[in-house]
Amino acid sequence: MTTERSDNVSEAQIAVHWREEEYYQPPAAFVGQANASDPAILDRFAEDRFPECFKEYADLLDWDHYWHTTLDTSEAPFWKWFVGGRLNACHNCVDRHLATRPNQAAMIWVPEPEDADPVAITYRELWVRVNEFAALLRDFAGVKAGDRVTFHLPMVPELPVAMLACARLGAIHSEVFGGFSGTACGERIADSGSDVLITMDGYYRNGELIDHKIKADEACEAAAKHGHEVGTVLIWRRHPGRYASDRPMVDGRDHFVDDLLPDYRGQRVAPESMPAEAPLFLMYTSGTTGRPKGCQHSTGGYLAYVTGTSKYYQDIHPDDTYWCAADIGWITGHSYIVYGPLSLGTTTVLYEGVPTYPDPGRLWRIAERLGVTTFHTAPTTIRMLRKLGPDEPTKYHYRFKHMTTVGEPIEPEVWRWYHQVVGKGEAVVVDTWWQTETGGFMGTTLPALQPMKPGSCGPGALGIYPVIYDEVGEVVEAGSGKAGNICIRNPWPGIFQTIWGQPERFKQIYYERYNRDPASTDWHDWPYLAGDGAVEAADGYFRILGRIDDVINVAGHRLGTKELESAALTVDEIAEAAAVPVMDELRGRAVEMYVSLKPGMTASPAVQDGVTAAIEREIGKIARPTQVWIVPDMPKTRSGKIMRRVIAGISNFADVGDITTLANPEIVADIRHQVQREK
Ligand code: WT7
């Protein structure tokens, strides 16, 4: 398979093609209780029912005003769902459950350190906290409908409270993953035009209370460099009344939330009735250029889609204890820790810390203690726990009925450990392929109706019609064994609306490639390009191979090669940089940096460390490369483009492809010699 541009790195190119696997059937006990156990649901979402089939998802919500048009395509590819409808997302996730289950836990938070008790927050209590914080946001910080508010919050209940408070006001939240650097946060603040930053002074990880306030200062500084002043920084204290940082508070800008809140005790804020098409939140993700993309998700379509998929694919029932062990800082957490589960009125678990501290039994202890019924994590975590504590799950008395995997392809042998050891052979396993942009699941199995096949995510989700196209837009037939670019032929309610402030880029990246007529308002002419390589088996199940663009998925985190390279170029000695993906046993893929030096500079470990430090500063520790190679020159085309594909081939001991057209083919052997000798 070739890629869009000759110089880009493609994960899909270095993917391992594992063989077709056997099917596994769901346990009878699961099928008996499943939300979707009648195959008639597949007919209700058949292609000739599109787009009205999605009414079934929207009808799971409370609407202030019902919509008049299910799908408006007049401004293709800017799809509008449930037009004319009005609703409030916070009302749907909180208020509407007060009549039926006020005293059920909406959330259970498991803090670090481990000797601290879990904290349950009932729907009634969540309602109180959300109202009070919404009043503070409105009256103290001046937040109103349509304003953007950036969060840089860790895994604490204050994060969903802040999301729901914004939703209540009709304000657009933009949570930046806590592990991102202050600089990365500041860029996103400026891009979204947020006047308010909400953060916390510190949080626990690996037994340590980490200073997080320092990142708020860096973020404000970085935003200012982009010409954007942050007016208000609201800081929750991890231990109210006890400041965890030694960073000074900035007069007039910084405020402790726990000092302000008493003034808002007992206050109630009416949920703002928002148009279905009003943006609910932004979620930034990496792409082909250095500038992160603010994926804008809608209120009505998004909430309908995550509620529907949570019901049928996560099989969430209100009396479940549902635990998605992801971070809310990613789309997985927004859709499947907060909005989907709370909309369905279940109990959602969040935890602070990591799966391996204090030991690799942590997750299973939590599962046992809370009686978790439904579990959700990423292949990278499964691989790590399988390596560090292969027998740990057997030591704990929990019983999962349903388990999800998300974020990367899962190797069949890792899948089998998840199924047999973590799931004790009793849980159904649902692999879910989707993206920040898609809002919810795209390729997966209906757990009671479609068998599992390790290594394949499954067919298109209800109402989703994927297709694989080759380079010239011909359909790659199912069962042909050929890989191609996976696209979704139709729009769906969870699709993001645009890239914040960059509508042209939105069109170009996702729709231009296979568009049949730029003037068309017929959705059939606008296949959505997902950016992944994939293979479709004869049974309609998809195997995802990895990204076809300049994105590297490290442990389920999407990193842009351009972002990594521009961080490296901030180091004085560096002339050129290339980031390439390498296969990694635990993280799926890892990043290796190749750099060349400016004339007169000498290679040294200090230069290598400088590159790593720059990447940590500009992006965050999650982007840290496993290797920094200083090479005499980069393989280049005659027009001077760095051939990352060639470098990736060397790093992965794989075929480097045709190098005869390079300007400097001799460098390939030099680099290979240098790198493969040391590996
Ligand atoms: C990319 C999207 C969706 C939430 C987490 C990641 C890869 C995602 C799977 C899966 C194989 C997967 C794709 C995709 N991916 N899920 N089940 N099997 N690959 O969201 O950060 O937007 O990344 O993750 O390459 O394009 P994201």
Side-chain angles (χ1 to χ4, degrees):
M1 190 179 56
T2 55
T3 54
E4 259 185 270
R5 292 196 315 275
S6 62
D7 69 318
N8 74 11
V9 205
S10 164
E11 285 187 352
Q13 276 171 347
I14 61 163
V16 176
H17 291 238
W18 45 72
R19 64 180 176 82
E20 278 304 308
E21 290 287 321
E22 307 280 311
Y23 295 111
Y24 285 64
Q25 298 299 330
F30 176 82
V31 176
Q33 59 81 66
N35 284 332
S37 54
D38 179 353
I41 195 168
L42 296 163
D43 299 329
R44 295 203 300 277
F45 282 86
E47 197 161 353
D48 58 358
R49 302 280 175 88
F50 181 85
E52 299 304 322
C53 56
F54 284 115
K55 184 176 177 295
E56 184 163 338
Y57 282 1
D59 283 340
L60 297 170
L61 304 180
D62 273 8
W63 293 82
D64 304 332
H65 294 284
Y66 213 58
W67 66 91
H68 51 71
T69 306
T70 304
L71 171 63
D72 173 356
T73 63
S74 61
E75 283 174 63
F78 300 91
W79 318 116
K80 298 188 189 70
W81 283 90
F82 311 123
V83 184
R86 296 187 85 93
L87 77 168
N88 182 277
C90 178
H91 164 86
N92 273 284
C93 291
V94 186
D95 303 46
R96 69 162 164 163
H97 304 308
L98 297 184
T100 44
R101 54 184 70 92
N103 296 320
Q104 179 197 309
M107 280 192 273
I108 302 176
W109 177 54
V110 185
E112 243 197 46
E114 237 196 342
D115 55 16
D117 290 323
V119 178
I121 299 174
T122 64
Y123 272 98
R124 180 85 196 169
E125 177 63 18
L126 179 60
W127 180 77
V128 168
R129 293 197 195 184
V130 167
N131 269 284
E132 292 177 352
F133 192 59
L136 185 159
L137 282 181
R138 182 190 59 191
D139 300 340
F140 182 81
V143 173
K144 54 185 189 319
D147 289 353
R148 279 79 58 210
V149 180
T150 297
F151 311 157
H152 201 197
L153 285 165
M155 284 294 284
V156 290
E158 287 78 0
L159 174 48
V161 165
M163 291 163 71
L164 294 163
C166 281
R168 199 167 188 83
L169 295 169
I172 304 166
H173 58 74
S174 171
E175 154 74 0
V176 177
F177 171 58
F180 271 131
S181 68
T183 312
C185 179
E187 265 173 35
R188 288 154 179 76
I189 291 174
D191 188 84
S192 62
S194 302
D195 292 327
V196 179
L197 169 65
I198 303 176
T199 187
M200 189 166 258
D201 59 348
Y203 62 92
Y204 287 93
R205 198 180 154 86
N206 289 315
E208 234 181 278
L209 183 56
I210 295 174
D211 185 345
H212 192 58
K213 164 64 161 77
I214 183 167
K215 288 189 178 174
D217 295 335
E218 288 164 0
C220 291
E221 223 173 274
K225 275 193 199 138
H226 287 85
H228 184 88
E229 288 301 322
V230 178
T232 306
V233 180
L234 296 175
I235 301 159
W236 297 88
R237 274 180 284 203
R238 175 63 181 74
H239 299 284
R242 208 175 94 205
Y243 190 34
S245 168
D246 44 27
R247 301 288 299 182
M249 295 287 279
V250 174
D251 227 21
R253 187 195 75 181
D254 298 352
H255 311 272
F256 289 128
V257 177
D258 53 296
D259 282 349
L260 299 173
L261 261 182
D263 291 346
Y264 300 88
R265 287 281 176 248
Q267 294 218 14
R268 303 294 176 249
V269 175
E272 199 69 44
S273 186
M274 300 301 289
E277 277 300 288
L280 178 62
F281 65 87
L282 305 180
M283 170 65 63
Y284 280 86
T285 192
S286 297
T288 43
T289 71
R291 182 172 172 200
K293 306 180 281 193
C295 295
Q296 177 185 317
H297 281 284
S298 72
T299 304
Y302 170 82
L303 196 63
Y305 197 71
V306 299
T307 304
T309 49
S310 293
K311 177 161 181 168
Y312 296 125
Y313 289 96
Q314 298 295 282
D315 196 55
I316 288 179
H317 304 255
D319 58 359
D320 286 335
T321 300
Y322 168 85
W323 184 17
C324 170
D327 195 293
I328 298 174
W330 308 108
I331 191 72
T332 304
H334 277 50
S335 299
Y336 299 112
I337 298 178
V338 180
Y339 284 114
L342 292 180
S343 173
L344 291 171
T346 197
T347 300
T348 188
V349 175
L350 36 149
Y351 85 111
E352 183 179 42
V354 296
T356 47
Y357 181 87
D359 60 68
R362 173 143 194 247
L363 300 189
W364 321 131
R365 275 195 298 281
I366 294 174
E368 177 183 285
R369 177 156 184 180
L370 303 186
V372 170
T373 56
T374 314
F375 182 70
H376 189 146
T377 192
T380 187
T381 305
I382 305 170
R383 289 185 209 109
M384 196 162 61
L385 293 175
R386 175 171 173 255
K387 182 169 176 187
L388 299 178
D391 302 321
E392 285 299 306
T394 60
K395 300 181 189 158
Y396 298 95
H397 300 279
Y398 65 80
R399 292 186 76 161
F400 295 151
K401 60 175 177 178
H402 181 296
M403 303 192 307
T404 302
T405 157
V406 59
E408 314 150 68
I410 181 164
E411 299 78 358
E413 64 186 274
V414 177
W415 189 100
R416 278 189 287 271
W417 182 77
Y418 194 40
H419 179 252
Q420 276 310 318
V421 182
V422 178
K424 307 183 178 183
E426 295 178 336
V428 74
V429 176
V430 176
D431 188 346
T432 58
W433 167 72
W434 58 297
Q435 311 173 298
T436 304
E437 293 88 337
T438 69
F441 306 148
M442 291 287 100
T444 178
T445 49
L446 268 175
L449 293 171
Q450 296 164 327
M452 309 162 238
K453 193 161 99 173
S456 296
C457 62
L462 290 169
I464 303 295
Y465 319 117
V467 61
I468 297 183
Y469 288 124
D470 67 12
E471 292 308 302
V472 294
E474 295 294 333
V475 174
V476 177
E477 294 300 333
S480 68
K482 287 204 195 91
N485 299 330
I486 188 167
C487 294
I488 311 294
R489 286 189 285 127
N490 60 301
W492 64 97
I495 180 67
F496 73 137
Q497 300 174 293
T498 187
I499 302 175
W500 179 260
Q502 304 181 72
E504 282 311 311
R505 207 174 148 208
F506 165 78
K507 259 171 108 159
Q508 185 243 317
I509 296 173
Y510 300 97
Y511 293 101
E512 220 162 61
R513 180 81 186 266
Y514 294 115
N515 170 244
R516 291 179 200 106
D517 170 11
S520 174
T521 57
D522 180 346
W523 61 261
H524 292 89
D525 292 326
W526 295 93
Y528 166 82
L529 176 73
D532 281 319
V535 181
E536 182 178 6
D539 57 9
Y541 278 45
F542 292 91
R543 242 174 327 135
I544 305 297
L545 303 175
R547 304 289 309 186
I548 54 168
D549 55 9
D550 300 293
V551 169
I552 307 178
N553 185 334
V554 178
H557 299 159
R558 222 161 114 174
L559 303 173
T561 51
K562 289 282 188 317
E563 288 165 66
L564 290 156
E565 290 159 7
S566 40
L569 291 174
T570 65
V571 177
D572 271 350
E573 292 89 346
I574 306 298
E576 288 180 312
V580 300
V582 292
M583 300 297 284
D584 187 277
E585 200 197 326
L586 290 181
R587 286 166 294 186
R589 300 291 195 288
V591 172
E592 289 190 3
M593 294 302 298
Y594 281 74
V595 295
S596 65
L597 305 182
K598 290 176 186 161
M601 300 292 177
T602 37
S604 70
V607 174
Q608 289 169 307
D609 293 347
V611 170
T612 301
I615 289 171
E616 287 184 7
R617 184 189 67 234
E618 296 293 313
I619 305 171
K621 284 202 170 69
I622 49 164
R624 193 201 305 244
T626 46
Q627 282 275 6
V628 178
W629 301 102
I630 301 177
V631 292
D633 196 5
M634 300 284 182
K636 283 184 204 141
T637 61
R638 295 213 175 88
S639 59
K641 269 192 189 167
I642 299 175
M643 293 293 280
R644 295 178 184 78
R645 151 178 91 67
V646 172
I647 304 175
I650 299 172
S651 249
N652 289 285
F653 293 81
D655 183 17
V656 296
D658 181 15
I659 55 168
T660 53
T661 57
L662 292 187
N664 53 349
E666 68 289 346
I667 196 72
V668 174
D670 292 351
I671 299 179
R672 182 183 283 134
H673 196 75
Q674 174 186 351
V675 170
Q676 297 188 351
R677 187 185 55 212
E678 276 188 48
K679 277 196 173 194

